[in-house]
Amino acid sequence: MAKTNPGNFFEDYRLGQRIDHAVPRTVSGGERALYHALYPARHALHSSDDFARACGLPASPIDDLAAFHVAFGKTVPDVSLNAVANLGYAEGRFRKPVFPGDTLRSTSEVIGLKQNSNGKSGVVYVRTEGLNQKGEVVLDYVRWVMVRKHDLNALAPETVIPDLAKVVPPDSLVIPEGLDFTRYDFTLAGEPHRMADYEVGEVIDHVDGVTVEEAEHMLATRLWQNTAKVHFDATNRADGKRLIYGGHVISLARALSFNGLANAQMIAGINAGAHANPCFAGDTVRAWTEVLDKAETSAPGVGAMRLRLVATKGGEVGALKGADGKYLADVLLDLDYWVLIPV
C-alpha cells in the first residue's frame, strides 16, 4: 500500500466535504522577525508591544497577513497541492489578533465545484477557518483554486458556484477587543494622516518597488509550510519557472503601502481578491491604492477604510483593466480589503 500522499485532484472533491488540515503550528516572535525580513513591513502596531498596549491591546500581535499565511499554508496539501493557480478570495474576516504563543490550525469546507471546458482541470471553492488553541476562529475566508484532474475520464460534477458577497458589510467587521486609537501616537506610527485625510476615489502611489528574488519567495513559502508543487518544482510548469505564491505578492504590496498608509494598522476584512497575472523571480513589484469607502466603528477612535490595493510590475498608477475588461498584463494583484485606521 502506498504511504505517500499525491494530493487531491479535482475529481476527488465533493460538495459539502469537510477537511481538517494537518500540522497545527505554534507561532512565536520568530514569525514576526522572518516576516519583517522577507517584506518591508513597518506598521507600528505589529512592531512594538508598547505601541500596541497604548492602542489597548495586551501586546503586539503578529502581522495579520502572517496569520493568514499560516492558516492558508495548512490547507495547501489538501486543497491546492495539484493547483494550476490560486484564483481569488472573498468574504474574509480577521476575527481575533494572533499573538506569539498561539497555536493555529485550519479546517475547510468545499462549497463549490466547476469543471473547466478543457476537461483537464476544474475550480474548487472552499471556505476556510483558522482556529487558535482555544478553538476560537481567528480568521475565515473563501478562496477558489484551479486544480488539475488526474483521471481525465472522470465524470464532471454538477456545477455549483457559491453566491459570494461582493463586500463584507462594515458593520460586520470584528474589532479586536480593547482596541482604542484615542491615544494614538502619529509620530511613532510614521505619518500624520488619519481617516478624515483620505477621500473616496483618491489614488495613492506607494512609490517604492521590490525586486523578487528566487531565494526569498521560496523561503517565504517554506516558512508558511505551503507545499504547492508550482512554487518549488521547476519541472511542474512547461516554462520551467517556479510560480511565486500569491500571498507573497499580497504581503509585498501591503508592506509597500506603508508609504502613504502607515496608519492603516490592521486588516479587518477581505472583500475580493484576484491574482491577475503570474509573478516570477526577477519581477519588480510596485503598488498603488484606491480609497473605495470609509465607515465608522464602535471602537473609540477607530475607523474602517475600504481600499483597493493593486500590485504591478511597473504599469501606470491607476491603470487596472483594458477596454476588453481584462486585467492589464503588468497587473499582478487586485485586492479589495478593509483596514482599521485612526479617525
Side-chain angles (χ1 to χ4, degrees):
M1 177 183 291
K3 293 182 172 61
T4 55
N5 175 22
N8 291 321
F9 292 88
F10 178 71
E11 65 269 24
D12 297 323
Y13 296 99
R14 300 290 181 270
L15 195 66
Q17 178 182 359
R18 295 198 64 87
I19 306 170
D20 292 321
H21 305 292
V23 193
R25 171 121 173 214
T26 302
V27 299
S28 70
E31 265 77 10
R32 174 182 291 125
L34 276 171
Y35 188 87
H36 289 196
L38 288 164
Y39 312 106
R42 293 183 287 157
H43 287 90
L45 191 140
H46 295 295
S47 299
S48 164
D49 285 342
D50 287 342
F51 189 94
R53 291 188 188 108
C55 294
L57 300 182
S60 175
I62 69 167
D63 291 72
D64 303 305
L65 288 176
F68 173 84
H69 294 321
V70 171
F72 184 102
K74 303 295 97 192
T75 72
V76 170
D78 300 308
V79 175
S80 49
L81 191 65
N82 295 304
V84 178
N86 192 52
L87 299 176
Y89 310 92
E91 296 187 358
R93 289 181 178 85
F94 290 76
R95 298 182 179 273
K96 282 185 173 293
V98 175
F99 297 97
D102 284 345
T103 297
L104 301 185
R105 60 184 177 88
S106 297
T107 182
S108 297
E109 179 183 2
V110 178
I111 60 171
L113 293 166
K114 180 183 183 298
Q115 180 165 301
N116 291 331
S117 58
N118 63 12
K120 297 179 180 179
S121 61
V123 178
V124 181
Y125 296 79
V126 296
R127 185 181 300 277
T128 294
E129 293 182 337
L131 303 100
N132 64 18
Q133 67 277 10
K134 300 177 183 178
E136 300 167 328
V137 178
V138 299
L139 60 90
D140 61 323
Y141 61 92
V142 172
R143 73 160 168 143
W144 47 104
V145 57
M146 188 185 302
V147 181
R148 293 181 176 87
K149 290 185 71 173
H150 181 65
D151 178 6
L152 299 185
N153 295 317
L155 295 177
E158 179 186 357
T159 295
V160 175
I161 299 176
D163 183 16
L164 301 172
K166 293 183 178 180
V167 179
V168 176
D171 60 3
S172 73
L173 298 174
V174 180
I175 311 302
E177 184 178 354
L179 190 68
D180 182 341
F181 283 163
T182 56
R183 295 186 297 150
Y184 189 91
D185 191 322
F186 289 89
T187 299
L188 292 181
E191 288 180 350
H193 316 302
R194 59 185 74 226
M195 189 166 76
D197 297 320
Y198 296 90
E199 298 294 333
V200 173
E202 178 180 357
V203 174
I204 304 161
D205 180 2
H206 299 303
V207 180
D208 305 307
V210 174
T211 302
V212 180
E213 301 291 343
E214 198 82 81
E216 290 174 348
H217 87 84
M218 293 192 68
L219 175 62
T221 311
R222 291 191 183 103
L223 173 63
W224 314 125
Q225 297 176 320
N226 182 333
T227 56
K229 299 172 186 177
V230 290
H231 303 319
F232 295 103
D233 185 350
T235 69
N236 205 252
R237 289 175 54 93
D239 58 13
K241 295 181 179 181
R242 298 178 182 94
L243 182 68
I244 290 173
Y245 163 45
H248 190 71
V249 178
I250 294 176
S251 281
L252 280 174
R254 161 70 172 163
L256 289 169
S257 75
F258 178 91
N259 189 355
L261 284 165
N263 297 313
Q265 289 290 350
M266 304 189 80
I267 299 176
I270 295 177
N271 300 305
H275 297 293
N277 287 290
C279 184
F280 300 102
D283 289 342
T284 297
V285 178
R286 302 184 185 278
W288 55 268
T289 291
E290 179 185 2
V291 179
L292 299 178
D293 198 2
K294 298 191 289 185
E296 298 179 351
T297 79
S298 59
V302 179
M305 198 154 68
R306 182 184 169 196
L307 306 173
R308 162 172 266 160
L309 175 62
V310 177
T312 76
K313 292 188 287 186
E316 179 183 351
V317 172
L320 188 64
K321 296 181 179 181
D324 58 1
K326 296 181 180 179
Y327 285 107
L328 299 174
D330 53 27
V331 173
L332 298 171
L333 169 74
D334 179 10
L335 185 70
D336 179 338
Y337 70 128
W338 287 102
V339 297
L340 302 180
I341 186 170
V343 298

